[in-house]
Amino acid sequence: MPRSWKFTIIALAVAGIASIPLVWLLDGPDTGQLVGATLQFAVAVIAFCWAVWPDAPRGVRARFQAVRTGAARAEDGGVAGTGVRVRGQRARHMASARARDTGKATAKGRRSKANSGIEIS
């Protein structure tokens, strides 16, 4: 969920929770008003918890991590990189990938590539 939606839902939930004593209960509530206040409170608490709760991991969400990668060097028109480089839609279908404590990578010559981390294209 986008961060702006989370903030909006949290603000509305807090407003819903705070308005219960102000609107419903200050005027001597009857049974209907107590039921309405209870439902309003329950919905506001559920919305608040749903917005604050961290997103559950999904199998289609890709997570990549490159830690302490080695140096990458490019010579004579080559391309070299370290860290994580993901291009295209292919990465959406991958679960995860991790590179840690990798060695040096050198690309020599035209159209050569070197990466000491993760590259998916």
Side-chain angles (χ1 to χ4, degrees):
M1 175 189 327
R3 180 173 238 151
S4 60
W5 276 106
K6 281 192 176 194
F7 287 130
T8 302
I9 291 171
I10 290 170
L12 290 173
V14 168
I17 292 169
S19 70
I20 291 168
L22 297 175
V23 175
W24 291 100
L25 302 177
L26 289 178
D27 191 29
D30 59 11
T31 304
Q33 288 175 324
L34 285 175
V35 170
T38 303
L39 289 174
Q40 179 182 350
F41 179 77
V43 169
V45 168
I46 290 169
F48 181 80
C49 291
W50 178 69
V52 174
W53 204 269
D55 293 334
R58 297 181 185 135
V60 294
R61 178 179 279 172
R63 299 192 184 237
F64 303 101
Q65 185 179 31
V67 180
R68 293 191 302 262
T69 59
R73 195 169 95 190
E75 299 175 357
D76 299 328
V79 178
T82 63
V84 178
R85 182 179 179 188
V86 179
R87 298 185 335 187
Q89 300 295 321
R90 186 175 179 189
R92 290 186 180 188
H93 303 292
M94 297 187 68
S96 64
R98 184 175 185 174
R100 186 175 188 160
D101 298 323
T102 61
K104 296 178 183 178
T106 304
K108 291 184 181 180
R110 192 174 173 187
R111 294 188 182 176
S112 63
K113 292 182 180 181
N115 191 319
S116 63
I118 300 168
E119 181 172 358
I120 300 169
S121 55

